[in-house]
Amino acid sequence: MGNMADVAAAAGVSISTVSHVINETRRVDPRTRDAVLEAIVATGYRRNALAAALATSRSGVLALSISAWQNPYFAPLVRAIESRAGELGYALMMGDSHDDPTIESSLVGSLLDRRADGLILAPAPRAERTTIPMIRSAGTPLVLIDRLSSAPVDQLASEGSEPVARLTSHLIELGHEQIGAITGRRGIQSSVERAEAFTTAMAAAGLHAAPRHMRCGDSSVDEAYTQTLAMFRGRGPRPTALVVLNNAMTVGVMRALRELELRVPQDVALVCYDDFEWSDLFTPGLTAVAQDVESMGRRAVDLLVERIDGFDGPRRVERLPTTFHHRDSCGCERVRAGV
């Protein structure tokens, strides 16, 4: 493996010119730059990232803290973040917070110790009092993703209230009055916002969201399964329709309905916030709200890199629109057929 002197000799330039090309610290004539890049390939030179970080005070690494493995929605989001980071010349290191404040604080501390240039955070409960102050005190640029906060930092998330209200109103328009909801983990902003949107839409139609029909699925497959069973096995009228407020919980709900031998939509209409890449494989197809996770991930990286590059304006809070996918699980075909 060659060194910087070997590259300079092969390209016929000075070592300082090679350094400027590698570290982008000064403009170099395009022909000279191409010659240096060719010499890098020919000599097998590999940049010493640690030495470069010490020289430039940048590591070329972005960090991501997210509860990636519990929610299938986050997988394409991570892919989008990693792809955009690579396009901008950054490597990505990440860790799973499991949406646990203690794990998140330890994880973020570890990421900061590794000199990440900036950090993208899907905050766990209580992050405003723990993790976010830690990151800000370190002076590391920060972008919050998926969940908004009152913290004075850049952040972006999908619209939450209007899409849930639309799902709920759609079921009401189909004649449902006993409508249940499986809500997300307590203490997470997006979960609170979506649950409030459900109860508001019910109240606007003169309907009451019965407590026994509103169950916290804790944003997990297993707890959504357990709470759905409890809802339908409890006393009183059963819901004739369900609104599920993230796609991990939708899996648990569908598993419970199958165990209860309840058909969708014949016995229970079903709609959900968050779509699946493979929703069209379900029978019936799921009526769902889809988030634009590709745009969210890429935009988060752009916001973060702008801060790293010196943008010093006020915090930016952006909401991304969602898309309503109208399929069969809501029961519209049955209504039209008079069944």
Side-chain angles (χ1 to χ4, degrees):
M1 185 173 64
N3 57 33
M4 198 175 290
D6 296 328
V7 174
V13 299
S14 67
I15 292 177
S16 63
T17 298
V18 174
S19 176
H20 288 311
V21 170
I22 292 171
N23 296 305
E24 299 182 349
T25 49
R26 193 187 73 187
R27 185 184 181 279
V28 176
D29 178 82
R31 288 176 296 180
T32 302
R33 182 176 182 276
D34 288 343
V36 170
L37 294 176
E38 290 174 3
I40 288 173
V41 174
T43 61
Y45 171 76
R46 292 189 65 184
R47 178 174 179 262
N48 187 323
L50 178 59
L54 293 173
T56 64
S57 297
R58 290 194 182 185
S59 65
V61 173
L62 304 182
L64 172 64
S65 173
I66 197 167
S67 183
W69 316 125
Q70 296 183 24
N71 191 334
Y73 151 71
F74 280 130
L77 181 62
V78 172
R79 287 199 300 269
I81 291 171
E82 184 175 37
S83 174
R84 183 55 176 160
E87 291 172 7
L88 297 179
Y90 286 89
L92 181 70
M93 60 179 174
M94 66 165 289
D96 192 336
S97 70
H98 299 278
D99 273 335
D100 182 294
T102 302
I103 295 175
E104 181 182 76
S105 293
S106 176
L107 168 63
V108 167
S110 179
L111 293 173
L112 293 176
D113 288 345
R114 285 161 174 75
R115 298 173 58 88
D117 291 333
L119 198 147
I120 297 172
L121 176 71
R126 302 194 297 277
E128 289 184 352
R129 302 195 298 272
T130 55
T131 313
I132 294 173
M134 178 198 310
I135 300 167
R136 296 192 66 220
S137 66
T140 302
L142 170 65
V143 171
L144 303 184
I145 195 167
D146 185 62
R147 302 155 182 177
L148 302 185
S149 163
S150 61
V153 298
D154 293 332
Q155 45 198 290
L156 71 162
S158 297
E159 291 289 350
S161 295
E162 188 279 332
V164 172
R166 181 175 181 183
L167 289 171
T168 307
S169 297
H170 182 61
L171 294 175
I172 294 169
E173 290 166 1
L174 293 175
H176 294 283
E177 296 182 356
Q178 299 289 336
I179 303 175
I182 303 295
T183 63
R185 178 162 295 180
R186 295 182 178 92
I188 292 177
Q189 178 272 340
S190 56
S191 297
V192 173
E193 180 180 54
R194 294 173 197 174
E196 290 178 348
F198 170 75
T199 57
T200 299
M202 291 284 284
L207 300 175
H208 176 60
R212 68 179 183 278
H213 290 168
M214 283 195 70
R215 302 278 181 147
C216 178
D218 202 36
S219 299
S220 77
V221 174
D222 291 343
E223 188 62 17
Y225 163 81
T226 298
Q227 293 301 324
T228 303
L229 291 179
M231 182 189 301
F232 280 88
R233 287 172 174 167
R235 295 181 177 180
R238 285 181 168 186
T240 61
L242 284 177
V243 181
V244 188
L245 298 182
N246 81 12
N247 59 9
M249 297 189 301
T250 300
V251 175
V253 168
M254 294 178 70
R255 183 182 299 166
L257 294 178
R258 183 178 61 184
E259 182 172 320
L260 292 164
E261 298 183 347
L262 295 174
R263 299 166 300 165
V264 176
Q266 292 90 337
D267 301 317
V268 183
L270 179 67
V271 298
C272 56
Y273 189 104
D274 279 344
D275 207 6
F276 295 87
E277 293 179 334
W278 26 272
S279 286
D280 56 347
L281 299 179
F282 284 119
T283 302
L286 285 174
T287 293
V289 165
Q291 301 187 67
D292 187 354
V293 294
E294 175 76 16
S295 295
M296 184 185 298
R298 296 178 68 84
R299 180 58 178 157
V301 174
D302 288 344
L303 289 173
L304 187 61
V305 171
E306 287 171 13
R307 289 292 182 187
I308 293 170
D309 289 341
F311 176 73
D312 195 32
R315 77 165 184 161
R316 295 162 291 181
V317 179
E318 300 181 6
R319 302 299 297 257
L320 280 67
T322 60
T323 304
F324 183 80
H325 291 302
H326 190 188
R327 302 187 181 102
D328 302 325
S329 66
C330 53
C332 285
E333 291 298 327
R334 290 176 61 243
V335 170
R336 283 194 288 268
V339 177

